[in-house]
Every structure is written in C-alpha cells, then in structure tokens.
Amino acid sequence: MNTSPVHSISSSPDVGHAPRPTLARTFRGVWRLTYPAHLAPGALLSNAGLLALLGLLAIPSVRHGEADEFLSWATNFFLCTLVPAIAFLAGAGALRDEMKPVAVDYLHTRPARRDVVGACKCVAQYLALQPALVLALAVVVGAGVWRGVPSALAAAPALLAAQLLTTAAFLGLGAFIGALTPRYLVFGLLYAAVVEIGIGAIPTQLSRLSLTQHTRTIVAALDGSDAAATALGSSLVLGTVAIVGTLLAAALLRHREMVGAAARDN
C-alpha cells in the first residue's frame, strides 16, 4: 500500500491560485490581445496602402505655398473626417468583440471585473491606433512641406494635439454606442449627420455640441486669434467625452446580458 503523502490541490503553490487581478495585470492581458492585430502583415500592408493614398490625396489638394488651404484641408479632411471615422469604428469594434463568448486572456484578466476589462480595451485600442495615426499626420505635414507651405512644420504640434484629443473623444463615443447596440454603424452615421454635419453647421453656440467644432477650435489657436482663449476649453470637452464615454461603455459591458457571460462570471 502506498503511504506517500498526498498534497492537496489547495496547498500547491502552482495549482488553484489564479494571479491576483490587478489593474496592471488586466491591462497587460488586454494589451496582449490588442496590439498583435495592428502588427499583422495584412494590417501593416493595409496601413501602408492607406498612407500612400493619403499622400496622393494631400499633394494635389494643396496649392503651392498656400498655408490657409493646407490647414483647412488638414483640419476638415484628416482631423474632422478621417480620424473620427477610424476612432469611432475602433472603439465600437473593441467593445463588440468583448461581448463574444471567447474574448479575454484568461491568465492575465481572470477574474477581473468586466467593466475594468472594457475600460482597458478602450485604452489599449487608443494606444494601438496611435502609431498609424501619427504616421498619417506625418504624411499630411510632409505633403504640406512638399508643396512649399512655410508653416506646415510649425502647425504640426497643434495638429498632433488635436489628433490625440479627437481620437480619444470619438473612440470613447464609439465604445459607448458599441456597448449600447450592435447597430453602432447606423447610429454612428445618424450622429454624424445630425450633430456633426447638421448642428455643427449652425452659426450659433449650439454648434459647440459638435465634437469636430472643438477640434477646429484647437487648430484655430495657431493664428493667435481669440480662438486661442477657448482652445483649452475645447481640449477639456474632448477629454471629458473620451473619459465619460469609456466609463459608460464599461458600465454597460458589466451589466448587459451577453452570450456566454454567465459562464465567464462563475
């Protein structure tokens, strides 16, 4: 008869003890699931093609030496059209993926609360987007330099600040709408038509409901006009939308019934 001692599972240092779900460990696990998708060969090839297309669009869109035309194109097309669309879809897609049955890195996030995982996914998606968006901004500024715009390089810091804040705001908005409904694309288009295009074009204070109007205010601070006095306020508005949108999305993610959620919460 074998009389060797039998160790219980609970006494083993390697079995039955899940890593403590700290915020840092949760974010690491989420980051491990986020950044590889942006480094996949297909994604890199697509980004390279889009950057080349952006350059081809930028160069003929700006006449030689026309600083105002360059700034207008960079603001209206790149910052107020392209960046919001990319950020909105990234935020909405990240949270919709989290609602699928297999969505988290077990060892690094379990048993982290779902709202914490959701907030981490938004932050990770934001950080993962930045290399491509910064490169895109470099293409836009480079096109301005190529066309002989003397202020193109000087405008780069304000354009970068506007890009960072605009991306955060629309990613938070996209995450919230993505957590609210699977038809986030329809609601996103409706929001763009009503708020950004409709209300944003009204020449009154009501236009301040448009997020892209705050983007334009930040860029307008370049000329030293009265817009500089409101640039900080617009930055705070975009930052607040980013934070509130992310927190609301995370709260919805935690309390919404999802396929497979009960199994993961046990």
Side-chain angles (χ1 to χ4, degrees), residues 21 37 41 43 55 75 87 93 106 112 158 160 167 184 186 210 217:
T75 302
Y106 181 89
L160 177 60
T167 303
Y184 59 85
V186 174
S210 165
T217 298

Side-chain angles (χ1 to χ4, degrees), residues 111-148:
R113 286 167 37 180
R114 189 175 295 131
D115 53 344
V116 175
V117 173
C120 287
K121 291 201 76 169
C122 291
V123 175
Q125 193 67 250
Y126 174 80
L127 294 176
L129 278 177
Q130 288 311 310
L133 290 178
V134 170
L135 281 175
L137 179 59
V139 169
V140 171
V141 173
V145 173
W146 179 270
R147 298 294 286 171

